[in-house]
Amino acid sequence: MRCPHPLAPSLALLALPFLPPPLAAESSAPWPVLEPAETGGPLPGTAALEEAGDLPRLLHEANDRFLDREIERAARERGRFWQRDLSSPEAYAKSIEPNRARLAAMLGIDRETRTDPDEAARAFAPFPLMPPLPGESSFLVHRLQLRSFGQVCADGVLLSPGEARADLVFVPDADDDELVPPAAAALARSGCRVAVVRLVDRGENEHRLSQREWVHRPAFVLGRTLAGYEVLKVQTAVDHLVSTRNGAERPLGIVGHGEGGRIALFSAALDERIDAALVSGAFGPREELWKEPADRNVQGLLREFGDAEIASLVAPRGLVVEHGTDPVYGYRSADGIGLDLDYEKRGEIPGKPGRLPRPAKNEVAGELERLKSLVPFAKAELVESGEALSAEAVSRFLGGFGIEARPRPAPFGTALPPHPERVEQLVVHNRLALIEAAGDRDRYFAGLQTDSPETFAATVEPYRERFRTEVMGDFERPLLPPNARTRPYQVGEKTLSYEVLLDVMDSGGETVVAYGILTLPKDFDPGSGERRPVVVCQHGLEGTPQDLVGEAGYKAYKAYATRLAERGFITFAPQNGYKYFDLFRMQQFKAQSIGGTLFSLIVPQHRQITEWIAAQPWADPDKIAFYGLSYGGKTAMRVPPLVDRYCLSICSADFNEWVWKNAATDAESLRYSYASKSEYEIFEWNLGGTFNYAEMAALICPRPFLVERGHFDGVAPDEQVAFEFAKVRHLYAAKLGLADRCEIEWFAGPHTIHGEGSFSFLHRHLGRPEPAGD
């Protein structure tokens, strides 16, 4: 007969002793044999856990509702980012300069240098004259090609009337397939010189990704966006139009439809040389940005900018908005409206589900009214039409320049020729940016001093703060009282475990929770006053705490949460939110739209977990360690830097050259790279210019850090792991003299917990002797 566990006080009050089910001691299974704990009460100082059902799903759904409330809160609180001076147009323009600069940074435009206008055209001048359009003699058509930034070109056509009265940039929708769009021809017929700038199309490539998502994924990790690249192309076209006027003074405008309308709005907001804009099928409420295609993802946009705020950067210049002409497009969306989301299996199609928004007229009108409430002197008009760039919309736009609009011609029937270089140039540019990223990080960390542990500790702290606020994101919500609820879960030969549920933080009445399994060794007597070290054991992608304790998930996890408890540690296996496939991945886009990430939820959950553990009489508050596998290893790089209670971190089956793994698109690297894979949420803003894994490890330093690496782990090849780890080892051992705190354990195995060197590392640094004969 076994005695009751000493931390289950309610068991001692029972008339009968605690008799757990007999354990199959004869079992030859490699995992620990655990049986349900059928009796017993909650842990001392906690309430009974009454919640039933799928607790990981409960956590996921709470996360989702919290993010919805945070998106609503962000919209309400945008005003805190603005200091508008409405006393005069000049004062207003000056007062919004910081907002304009921040929008440019969000799009990554500040990372690039545009080519000088003369040099931009010189490489391709003179522009080839194209064959006359059928029945058209009022303007000439030249092929337009301008060096924009790096080796990337703005391309399209230039429509030149006999005498130009205005200069315009025309940006068609991404899937417009006419060489000369009739709406652009109408503008040229009306006496405007028109530079038609083409966008990357939405067609799918060999990886079954849209071309736009294919370019955007690595760009995002490198601090850039596809939208930013395309705005730069528009700015290059503006440069060319302005520099080739030969001294003439004439207005300059921009016209765009669909994706082109979105780029036109951004361009007009950022470039004050543009006197007016016509935005068709691309304006309205933006709070569901997370439902849009992946290439529209802009980190933190909705904290400061809805469409009304972007349009406020255009004011007091003219803006015509045309509604009723929104293109219909969806990826993993059968009708371009609903999204095909799956929470039971990995999808065969690797891209993010997304569709273009189709706001109602009253929603667009409401957004324009919001603009006028922000800037009373904004010159903004709404046109309702069933035809993109209708005669009425064009007439109102050109009327602002004193130009009478001419009728639109019938389609010319000249198809846009294939232009694979448009995509390939951006792919190559991303590859060059990846090469340059290491230097970007070196410059970013120029303020870190490593001449002594003391100066290092002082100078690393600002980088932790930037990592918290600018990279992982922090919703700045205070921790709630934990309101801990527990119940006995399982009993083993040497262990007893409890399920634990904690409240974490609240937004608009929606509460984030933390859930996990606490496992206690039976040889522990809390009455002795001993406080044991605690190891927080973190599951990987699609995992649960149950995977870490017994037979479930044993192939990868080796029941290490239970095995460590059998060695005398207390363990806690939390549920992280990266479960339910598309459902959690879409949460990443919700969070990113307001400047956060999934870790904006995970970090507070771990803060609450560690604070609750530290307050327990059986835990040593100074010896709480973190040990995670796979996505849990990803967590090991991101959470301990921001959770002071973690005294060390072990990254298993994840550590590698992370920026390369996200952004590499060459054929050899794609075996490992996420750039073509179905983990479409994995891309984090501007890690290339800030924090690779070596830099994240610097935020863990001087606390002990271990990498557990199987030679046959498909996460990355050994040489990439060793390359990145060498930088960490150099910091600890060579610069700070802390060689005993930084290790890597190599073993001949796959993507799994090894549990040898890592266990010894825990015993050594947590001050608990290893079991005899181990």
PDB file of all heavy atoms in Angstrom, residues 167-193:
ATOM      1  N   ASP A 167       0.854  64.990 -64.861  1.00  0.00           N
ATOM      2  CA  ASP A 167       1.603  63.738 -64.802  1.00  0.00           C
ATOM      3  C   ASP A 167       0.909  62.815 -63.804  1.00  0.00           C
ATOM      4  O   ASP A 167       0.586  63.238 -62.678  1.00  0.00           O
ATOM      5  CB  ASP A 167       3.045  63.987 -64.353  1.00  0.00           C
ATOM      6  CG  ASP A 167       3.868  64.691 -65.408  1.00  0.00           C
ATOM      7  OD1 ASP A 167       3.705  64.368 -66.596  1.00  0.00           O
ATOM      8  OD2 ASP A 167       4.670  65.576 -65.041  1.00  0.00           O
ATOM      9  N   LEU A 168       0.710  61.584 -64.196  1.00  0.00           N
ATOM     10  CA  LEU A 168       0.011  60.620 -63.339  1.00  0.00           C
ATOM     11  C   LEU A 168       0.784  59.315 -63.273  1.00  0.00           C
ATOM     12  O   LEU A 168       1.366  58.878 -64.265  1.00  0.00           O
ATOM     13  CB  LEU A 168      -1.393  60.325 -63.875  1.00  0.00           C
ATOM     14  CG  LEU A 168      -2.363  61.493 -64.064  1.00  0.00           C
ATOM     15  CD1 LEU A 168      -3.687  60.976 -64.611  1.00  0.00           C
ATOM     16  CD2 LEU A 168      -2.578  62.237 -62.751  1.00  0.00           C
ATOM     17  N   VAL A 169       0.740  58.672 -62.090  1.00  0.00           N
ATOM     18  CA  VAL A 169       1.140  57.279 -61.945  1.00  0.00           C
ATOM     19  C   VAL A 169      -0.145  56.464 -61.859  1.00  0.00           C
ATOM     20  O   VAL A 169      -1.045  56.785 -61.078  1.00  0.00           O
ATOM     21  CB  VAL A 169       2.001  57.048 -60.697  1.00  0.00           C
ATOM     22  CG1 VAL A 169       2.343  55.568 -60.552  1.00  0.00           C
ATOM     23  CG2 VAL A 169       3.270  57.891 -60.748  1.00  0.00           C
ATOM     24  N   PHE A 170      -0.227  55.434 -62.672  1.00  0.00           N
ATOM     25  CA  PHE A 170      -1.406  54.570 -62.713  1.00  0.00           C
ATOM     26  C   PHE A 170      -0.979  53.177 -62.245  1.00  0.00           C
ATOM     27  O   PHE A 170      -0.059  52.577 -62.817  1.00  0.00           O
ATOM     28  CB  PHE A 170      -1.954  54.507 -64.145  1.00  0.00           C
ATOM     29  CG  PHE A 170      -3.241  53.733 -64.291  1.00  0.00           C
ATOM     30  CD1 PHE A 170      -4.459  54.382 -64.304  1.00  0.00           C
ATOM     31  CD2 PHE A 170      -3.230  52.352 -64.424  1.00  0.00           C
ATOM     32  CE1 PHE A 170      -5.651  53.674 -64.454  1.00  0.00           C
ATOM     33  CE2 PHE A 170      -4.402  51.634 -64.561  1.00  0.00           C
ATOM     34  CZ  PHE A 170      -5.620  52.292 -64.574  1.00  0.00           C
ATOM     35  N   VAL A 171      -1.670  52.661 -61.223  1.00  0.00           N
ATOM     36  CA  VAL A 171      -1.304  51.359 -60.658  1.00  0.00           C
ATOM     37  C   VAL A 171      -2.494  50.419 -60.786  1.00  0.00           C
ATOM     38  O   VAL A 171      -3.451  50.509 -60.019  1.00  0.00           O
ATOM     39  CB  VAL A 171      -0.881  51.480 -59.180  1.00  0.00           C
ATOM     40  CG1 VAL A 171      -0.189  50.192 -58.734  1.00  0.00           C
ATOM     41  CG2 VAL A 171       0.030  52.677 -58.954  1.00  0.00           C
ATOM     42  N   PRO A 172      -2.476  49.518 -61.774  1.00  0.00           N
ATOM     43  CA  PRO A 172      -3.595  48.584 -61.939  1.00  0.00           C
ATOM     44  C   PRO A 172      -3.630  47.556 -60.805  1.00  0.00           C
ATOM     45  O   PRO A 172      -2.676  47.409 -60.030  1.00  0.00           O
ATOM     46  CB  PRO A 172      -3.291  47.897 -63.274  1.00  0.00           C
ATOM     47  CG  PRO A 172      -2.134  48.637 -63.873  1.00  0.00           C
ATOM     48  CD  PRO A 172      -1.410  49.294 -62.742  1.00  0.00           C
ATOM     49  N   ASP A 173      -4.719  46.828 -60.741  1.00  0.00           N
ATOM     50  CA  ASP A 173      -4.792  45.705 -59.811  1.00  0.00           C
ATOM     51  C   ASP A 173      -3.720  44.678 -60.165  1.00  0.00           C
ATOM     52  O   ASP A 173      -3.262  44.592 -61.316  1.00  0.00           O
ATOM     53  CB  ASP A 173      -6.177  45.061 -59.875  1.00  0.00           C
ATOM     54  CG  ASP A 173      -6.320  43.921 -58.881  1.00  0.00           C
ATOM     55  OD1 ASP A 173      -6.013  44.134 -57.700  1.00  0.00           O
ATOM     56  OD2 ASP A 173      -6.698  42.809 -59.301  1.00  0.00           O
ATOM     57  N   ALA A 174      -3.327  43.892 -59.187  1.00  0.00           N
ATOM     58  CA  ALA A 174      -2.239  42.931 -59.387  1.00  0.00           C
ATOM     59  C   ALA A 174      -2.519  41.947 -60.515  1.00  0.00           C
ATOM     60  O   ALA A 174      -1.584  41.476 -61.175  1.00  0.00           O
ATOM     61  CB  ALA A 174      -1.971  42.177 -58.082  1.00  0.00           C
ATOM     62  N   ASP A 175      -3.786  41.629 -60.758  1.00  0.00           N
ATOM     63  CA  ASP A 175      -4.118  40.641 -61.778  1.00  0.00           C
ATOM     64  C   ASP A 175      -4.649  41.263 -63.067  1.00  0.00           C
ATOM     65  O   ASP A 175      -5.168  40.536 -63.932  1.00  0.00           O
ATOM     66  CB  ASP A 175      -5.132  39.635 -61.226  1.00  0.00           C
ATOM     67  CG  ASP A 175      -4.500  38.667 -60.243  1.00  0.00           C
ATOM     68  OD1 ASP A 175      -3.266  38.563 -60.233  1.00  0.00           O
ATOM     69  OD2 ASP A 175      -5.239  38.039 -59.465  1.00  0.00           O
ATOM     70  N   ASP A 176      -4.543  42.571 -63.217  1.00  0.00           N
ATOM     71  CA  ASP A 176      -4.913  43.201 -64.482  1.00  0.00           C
ATOM     72  C   ASP A 176      -3.979  42.678 -65.579  1.00  0.00           C
ATOM     73  O   ASP A 176      -2.750  42.688 -65.413  1.00  0.00           O
ATOM     74  CB  ASP A 176      -4.786  44.721 -64.358  1.00  0.00           C
ATOM     75  CG  ASP A 176      -5.243  45.448 -65.598  1.00  0.00           C
ATOM     76  OD1 ASP A 176      -4.535  45.371 -66.632  1.00  0.00           O
ATOM     77  OD2 ASP A 176      -6.296  46.088 -65.540  1.00  0.00           O
ATOM     78  N   ASP A 177      -4.539  42.236 -66.686  1.00  0.00           N
ATOM     79  CA  ASP A 177      -3.720  41.566 -67.700  1.00  0.00           C
ATOM     80  C   ASP A 177      -3.712  42.288 -69.041  1.00  0.00           C
ATOM     81  O   ASP A 177      -3.357  41.697 -70.063  1.00  0.00           O
ATOM     82  CB  ASP A 177      -4.177  40.120 -67.889  1.00  0.00           C
ATOM     83  CG  ASP A 177      -5.632  40.023 -68.360  1.00  0.00           C
ATOM     84  OD1 ASP A 177      -6.296  41.080 -68.501  1.00  0.00           O
ATOM     85  OD2 ASP A 177      -6.101  38.895 -68.588  1.00  0.00           O
ATOM     86  N   GLU A 178      -4.102  43.566 -69.056  1.00  0.00           N
ATOM     87  CA  GLU A 178      -4.068  44.323 -70.303  1.00  0.00           C
ATOM     88  C   GLU A 178      -2.797  45.156 -70.380  1.00  0.00           C
ATOM     89  O   GLU A 178      -2.415  45.814 -69.401  1.00  0.00           O
ATOM     90  CB  GLU A 178      -5.284  45.231 -70.408  1.00  0.00           C
ATOM     91  CG  GLU A 178      -6.596  44.476 -70.532  1.00  0.00           C
ATOM     92  CD  GLU A 178      -7.756  45.415 -70.819  1.00  0.00           C
ATOM     93  OE1 GLU A 178      -7.889  45.851 -71.974  1.00  0.00           O
ATOM     94  OE2 GLU A 178      -8.503  45.707 -69.880  1.00  0.00           O
ATOM     95  N   LEU A 179      -2.172  45.167 -71.520  1.00  0.00           N
ATOM     96  CA  LEU A 179      -0.940  45.932 -71.706  1.00  0.00           C
ATOM     97  C   LEU A 179      -1.166  47.411 -71.401  1.00  0.00           C
ATOM     98  O   LEU A 179      -0.387  48.036 -70.665  1.00  0.00           O
ATOM     99  CB  LEU A 179      -0.423  45.773 -73.133  1.00  0.00           C
ATOM    100  CG  LEU A 179       0.840  46.571 -73.472  1.00  0.00           C
ATOM    101  CD1 LEU A 179       2.024  46.055 -72.670  1.00  0.00           C
ATOM    102  CD2 LEU A 179       1.130  46.498 -74.974  1.00  0.00           C
ATOM    103  N   VAL A 180      -2.237  47.971 -71.960  1.00  0.00           N
ATOM    104  CA  VAL A 180      -2.628  49.356 -71.664  1.00  0.00           C
ATOM    105  C   VAL A 180      -4.057  49.320 -71.140  1.00  0.00           C
ATOM    106  O   VAL A 180      -5.013  49.148 -71.915  1.00  0.00           O
ATOM    107  CB  VAL A 180      -2.537  50.255 -72.909  1.00  0.00           C
ATOM    108  CG1 VAL A 180      -3.002  51.677 -72.562  1.00  0.00           C
ATOM    109  CG2 VAL A 180      -1.113  50.288 -73.445  1.00  0.00           C
ATOM    110  N   PRO A 181      -4.253  49.444 -69.833  1.00  0.00           N
ATOM    111  CA  PRO A 181      -5.612  49.428 -69.293  1.00  0.00           C
ATOM    112  C   PRO A 181      -6.432  50.570 -69.900  1.00  0.00           C
ATOM    113  O   PRO A 181      -5.946  51.698 -70.028  1.00  0.00           O
ATOM    114  CB  PRO A 181      -5.400  49.628 -67.787  1.00  0.00           C
ATOM    115  CG  PRO A 181      -4.000  49.180 -67.540  1.00  0.00           C
ATOM    116  CD  PRO A 181      -3.243  49.544 -68.770  1.00  0.00           C
ATOM    117  N   PRO A 182      -7.680  50.318 -70.316  1.00  0.00           N
ATOM    118  CA  PRO A 182      -8.498  51.384 -70.905  1.00  0.00           C
ATOM    119  C   PRO A 182      -8.619  52.618 -70.023  1.00  0.00           C
ATOM    120  O   PRO A 182      -8.657  53.744 -70.539  1.00  0.00           O
ATOM    121  CB  PRO A 182      -9.853  50.690 -71.104  1.00  0.00           C
ATOM    122  CG  PRO A 182      -9.519  49.245 -71.290  1.00  0.00           C
ATOM    123  CD  PRO A 182      -8.355  49.006 -70.380  1.00  0.00           C
ATOM    124  N   ALA A 183      -8.683  52.441 -68.700  1.00  0.00           N
ATOM    125  CA  ALA A 183      -8.776  53.606 -67.817  1.00  0.00           C
ATOM    126  C   ALA A 183      -7.520  54.464 -67.910  1.00  0.00           C
ATOM    127  O   ALA A 183      -7.592  55.698 -67.851  1.00  0.00           O
ATOM    128  CB  ALA A 183      -9.005  53.148 -66.382  1.00  0.00           C
ATOM    129  N   ALA A 184      -6.354  53.823 -68.053  1.00  0.00           N
ATOM    130  CA  ALA A 184      -5.117  54.588 -68.227  1.00  0.00           C
ATOM    131  C   ALA A 184      -5.119  55.301 -69.571  1.00  0.00           C
ATOM    132  O   ALA A 184      -4.656  56.457 -69.691  1.00  0.00           O
ATOM    133  CB  ALA A 184      -3.912  53.661 -68.114  1.00  0.00           C
ATOM    134  N   ALA A 185      -5.650  54.635 -70.596  1.00  0.00           N
ATOM    135  CA  ALA A 185      -5.736  55.264 -71.920  1.00  0.00           C
ATOM    136  C   ALA A 185      -6.643  56.486 -71.879  1.00  0.00           C
ATOM    137  O   ALA A 185      -6.355  57.519 -72.515  1.00  0.00           O
ATOM    138  CB  ALA A 185      -6.241  54.256 -72.944  1.00  0.00           C
ATOM    139  N   ALA A 186      -7.748  56.405 -71.117  1.00  0.00           N
ATOM    140  CA  ALA A 186      -8.647  57.557 -71.000  1.00  0.00           C
ATOM    141  C   ALA A 186      -7.931  58.736 -70.368  1.00  0.00           C
ATOM    142  O   ALA A 186      -8.140  59.892 -70.753  1.00  0.00           O
ATOM    143  CB  ALA A 186      -9.872  57.173 -70.180  1.00  0.00           C
ATOM    144  N   LEU A 187      -7.091  58.477 -69.394  1.00  0.00           N
ATOM    145  CA  LEU A 187      -6.324  59.550 -68.753  1.00  0.00           C
ATOM    146  C   LEU A 187      -5.342  60.175 -69.737  1.00  0.00           C
ATOM    147  O   LEU A 187      -5.154  61.397 -69.762  1.00  0.00           O
ATOM    148  CB  LEU A 187      -5.601  59.000 -67.532  1.00  0.00           C
ATOM    149  CG  LEU A 187      -6.493  58.532 -66.371  1.00  0.00           C
ATOM    150  CD1 LEU A 187      -5.674  57.724 -65.363  1.00  0.00           C
ATOM    151  CD2 LEU A 187      -7.165  59.714 -65.687  1.00  0.00           C
ATOM    152  N   ALA A 188      -4.698  59.341 -70.551  1.00  0.00           N
ATOM    153  CA  ALA A 188      -3.770  59.866 -71.551  1.00  0.00           C
ATOM    154  C   ALA A 188      -4.527  60.665 -72.617  1.00  0.00           C
ATOM    155  O   ALA A 188      -4.068  61.723 -73.060  1.00  0.00           O
ATOM    156  CB  ALA A 188      -2.983  58.722 -72.187  1.00  0.00           C
ATOM    157  N   ARG A 189      -5.691  60.185 -73.023  1.00  0.00           N
ATOM    158  CA  ARG A 189      -6.518  60.921 -73.979  1.00  0.00           C
ATOM    159  C   ARG A 189      -6.920  62.288 -73.434  1.00  0.00           C
ATOM    160  O   ARG A 189      -7.144  63.235 -74.204  1.00  0.00           O
ATOM    161  CB  ARG A 189      -7.791  60.127 -74.293  1.00  0.00           C
ATOM    162  CG  ARG A 189      -7.612  59.000 -75.274  1.00  0.00           C
ATOM    163  CD  ARG A 189      -8.953  58.342 -75.520  1.00  0.00           C
ATOM    164  NE  ARG A 189      -8.915  57.455 -76.680  1.00  0.00           N
ATOM    165  CZ  ARG A 189      -9.988  56.831 -77.168  1.00  0.00           C
ATOM    166  NH1 ARG A 189     -11.162  57.014 -76.596  1.00  0.00           N
ATOM    167  NH2 ARG A 189      -9.871  56.051 -78.221  1.00  0.00           N
ATOM    168  N   SER A 190      -7.028  62.371 -72.106  1.00  0.00           N
ATOM    169  CA  SER A 190      -7.437  63.629 -71.467  1.00  0.00           C
ATOM    170  C   SER A 190      -6.278  64.595 -71.309  1.00  0.00           C
ATOM    171  O   SER A 190      -6.453  65.667 -70.724  1.00  0.00           O
ATOM    172  CB  SER A 190      -8.057  63.322 -70.100  1.00  0.00           C
ATOM    173  OG  SER A 190      -9.151  62.440 -70.225  1.00  0.00           O
ATOM    174  N   GLY A 191      -5.100  64.223 -71.817  1.00  0.00           N
ATOM    175  CA  GLY A 191      -3.957  65.124 -71.777  1.00  0.00           C
ATOM    176  C   GLY A 191      -2.993  64.864 -70.645  1.00  0.00           C
ATOM    177  O   GLY A 191      -2.212  65.759 -70.289  1.00  0.00           O
ATOM    178  N   CYS A 192      -3.010  63.662 -70.075  1.00  0.00           N
ATOM    179  CA  CYS A 192      -2.109  63.334 -68.964  1.00  0.00           C
ATOM    180  C   CYS A 192      -0.998  62.394 -69.453  1.00  0.00           C
ATOM    181  O   CYS A 192      -1.256  61.449 -70.210  1.00  0.00           O
ATOM    182  CB  CYS A 192      -2.871  62.651 -67.830  1.00  0.00           C
ATOM    183  SG  CYS A 192      -4.208  63.636 -67.145  1.00  0.00           S
ATOM    184  N   ARG A 193       0.218  62.681 -69.013  1.00  0.00           N
ATOM    185  CA  ARG A 193       1.305  61.721 -69.216  1.00  0.00           C
ATOM    186  C   ARG A 193       1.168  60.680 -68.105  1.00  0.00           C
ATOM    187  O   ARG A 193       1.146  61.022 -66.919  1.00  0.00           O
ATOM    188  CB  ARG A 193       2.655  62.427 -69.148  1.00  0.00           C
ATOM    189  CG  ARG A 193       3.830  61.539 -69.506  1.00  0.00           C
ATOM    190  CD  ARG A 193       5.101  62.327 -69.723  1.00  0.00           C
ATOM    191  NE  ARG A 193       5.480  63.144 -68.580  1.00  0.00           N
ATOM    192  CZ  ARG A 193       6.731  63.328 -68.154  1.00  0.00           C
ATOM    193  NH1 ARG A 193       7.731  62.717 -68.773  1.00  0.00           N
ATOM    194  NH2 ARG A 193       6.990  64.111 -67.135  1.00  0.00           N
TER     195      ARG A 193
END
